[in-house]
Amino acid sequence: MIDLRSDTLTRPTEAMRAAMARAEVGDDVYGEDPTVLALEERVAGLFGHEAALFTPTGSMANVLAVGSLVAPGQEVLCEASAHIARAELGAHGAIGGITMRTWTHPRGRAELATISSMFAPDMGPFFVRTAAVSVENTHNFAGGAVLPLGELQELKDWAVGVGAGVHLDGARIWNAHVATGVPLAEYGAIASVLSVCLSKGLGAPVGSLMVGSRDAVAEARVRRKRMGGGMRQVGILAAAGLHALDHHVDRLADDHAHARLLAEACGLDPATVDTNIVVVERSDAPAFVAAAAEHGVRVATVGPTAVRMVTHLDVSRADAERAAAALAEL
Ligand SMILES: *Cc1c(COP(=O)(O)O)cnc(C)c1O
C-alpha cells in the first residue's frame, strides 16, 4: 500500500531513532532539557524571532500563537478553509474565547483589499474587535499552495500601521521555503507570531513550535502548562526535530516533484502544484478513494468532492511512479 493520506504518516528513520536514543534530557517544565532548549533557540533563530516554544502538536502551537494576539471576545480574520478554522475542532473558540471571520480564496491567498475591507478594530460596543489576521503558508486545503511573499509583506506593513497582529500558520513553511528559495527569516518577518510543524514532511514523530517575541513565548509557556502540555524529558522528541532540520529539509524538493507526477496522472496541470499536496475535484470522491485503495494507493477526502494526496518521506520515487500509474488508470 502506498499511503498518500497525509505527510503526518512518516515514521522516524533509523538515523532519527538513533539521534533520539542518545539525546541529552532534563525536565523541560523546569526549563532544564538541553535538547529542547537547543531546538527552541535554533528554530527562533531560523525565523529571526526572539524565542520559541516546543509543543506536542501544531494545533496547540496555533492556539497559543493566535491567543497571544487575540483576547477572549475578540476576533481573528482568516481564509475559510484555514486549518485554524476547519481542522482544530473549534479550539480557538472553546479554549481561547476567540471568534473568527473568514474570507474565501481558492488558493488560500491573503489579498490586502479583501482583508482591509473586513477589518473592524474599534466599532464601539456594537461589533467584535478585530485583533489579528491569520495566514497559512503553505495552504493545506488549497492544495499546498504557496502564498506570494510580496502579498504577505504588504499585509504585514498594513497590519503594523493599523495595530493588528499577523499569525502565520507555518505547519509547512519548510515546503514553501524549499519551493521558492525564500529564506525562512523572510517568512518569519511577515508574522508577529507563527507556528511550525516538525511532524509533517520533516518526518519527526511528534512536535511543533510556536515562535515569537520573548514576552509572547513566556506567556505561552504558562498557557501550555495550563492546557496540560508541560512535558518532562521531552528532549527525546526535540532530538528528532533537530535531526529533521539537519537532514529532511532540502529533500522536500523530491516530495514536490513526486506530487507533480501524481497531478499529471490525474489530468491536472503540474504547474498548479506548488509543493507536496495535490487536491483533485471528483464528484465521486468516496468511490474514487475506494477504487484507489483497490489499486494499492491510499488517498483521502477533504470535502464532499475533494480528494487529497500528499507526498512525504516514506514515498519513494518508485512509489510515486507506481501510484501515478494506478491513478492514471482510474
Ligand atoms: C497539520 C497542520 C497543523 C497542526 O496539526 P496537528 O495535527 O495539531 O499537529 C496546523 N496547520 C496546518 C495547516 C496543518 O496542516
Side-chain angles (χ1 to χ4, degrees):
M1 219 21 135
I2 299 165
D3 204 335
L4 302 173
R5 288 171 301 163
S6 175
D7 49 6
T8 57
L9 295 162
T10 55
R11 277 149 305 183
T13 61
E14 283 307 316
M16 182 179 277
R17 287 171 189 260
M20 296 169 76
R22 53 170 193 268
E24 262 188 72
V25 296
D27 189 325
D28 183 53
V29 174
Y30 286 80
E32 291 174 3
D33 188 303
T35 310
V36 174
L37 294 173
L39 176 67
E40 289 173 342
E41 191 179 326
R42 178 162 170 193
V43 171
L46 286 174
F47 291 95
H49 281 253
E50 288 174 350
L53 182 71
F54 190 61
T55 59
T57 64
S59 296
M60 190 187 284
N62 276 340
V63 168
L64 295 171
V66 173
S68 75
L69 301 174
V70 188
Q74 298 182 343
E75 70 180 3
V76 59
L77 307 180
C78 64
E79 204 278 325
S81 63
H83 196 277
I84 65 164
R86 271 198 74 199
E88 294 174 9
L89 309 190
H92 298 267
I95 299 168
I98 291 166
T99 60
M100 291 176 180
R101 230 160 8 108
T102 58
W103 73 87
T104 303
H105 192 288
R107 302 282 291 169
R109 296 273 294 271
E111 290 165 341
L112 184 54
T114 307
I115 294 166
S116 60
S117 74
M118 296 169 68
F119 183 61
D122 180 13
M123 296 176 71
F126 303 105
F127 291 96
V128 178
R129 176 176 176 177
T130 311
V133 178
S134 177
V135 297
E136 187 174 307
N137 194 19
T138 67
H139 196 294
N140 183 347
F141 297 125
V146 174
L147 274 60
L149 181 66
E151 185 169 288
L152 297 172
Q153 288 169 331
E154 198 187 10
L155 175 68
K156 176 66 171 153
D157 288 346
W158 168 83
V160 168
V162 299
V166 176
H167 165 250
L168 167 63
D169 181 343
R172 295 187 183 79
I173 195 68
W174 323 101
N175 296 82
H177 160 65
V178 167
T180 60
V182 170
L184 293 170
E186 288 198 36
Y187 284 131
I190 67 88
S192 331
V193 63
L194 61 148
S195 64
V196 300
C197 286
L198 304 166
S199 57
K200 302 279 167 78
L202 293 195
V206 176
S208 291
L209 293 102
M210 170 202 158
V211 184
S213 69
R214 216 179 309 282
D215 286 351
V217 167
E219 185 205 319
R221 198 175 288 280
V222 174
R223 294 174 54 230
R224 182 186 66 175
K225 181 75 164 62
R226 185 176 294 136
M227 286 196 278
M231 302 176 288
R232 303 294 177 171
Q233 285 72 28
V234 75
I236 287 184
L237 297 179
L242 286 165
H243 178 87
L245 291 175
D246 287 336
H247 300 286
H248 295 170
V249 176
D250 293 342
R251 65 151 304 285
L252 292 172
D254 298 340
D255 295 346
H256 301 172
H258 298 163
R260 289 193 293 271
L261 278 182
L262 299 177
E264 215 164 359
C266 295
L268 299 179
D269 175 0
T272 62
V273 174
D274 292 344
T275 57
N276 69 325
I277 301 177
V278 181
V279 174
V280 187
E281 282 299 322
R282 297 277 309 197
S283 55
D284 62 341
F288 183 81
V289 169
E294 274 170 31
H295 284 68
V297 183
R298 289 180 102 167
V299 298
T301 55
V302 289
T305 60
V307 176
R308 189 184 73 164
M309 19 197 122
V310 189
T311 56
H312 54 76
L313 188 58
D314 288 1
V315 177
S316 66
R317 179 81 190 185
D319 290 338
E321 283 170 357
R322 197 151 63 78
L327 292 166
E329 216 174 296
L330 289 172

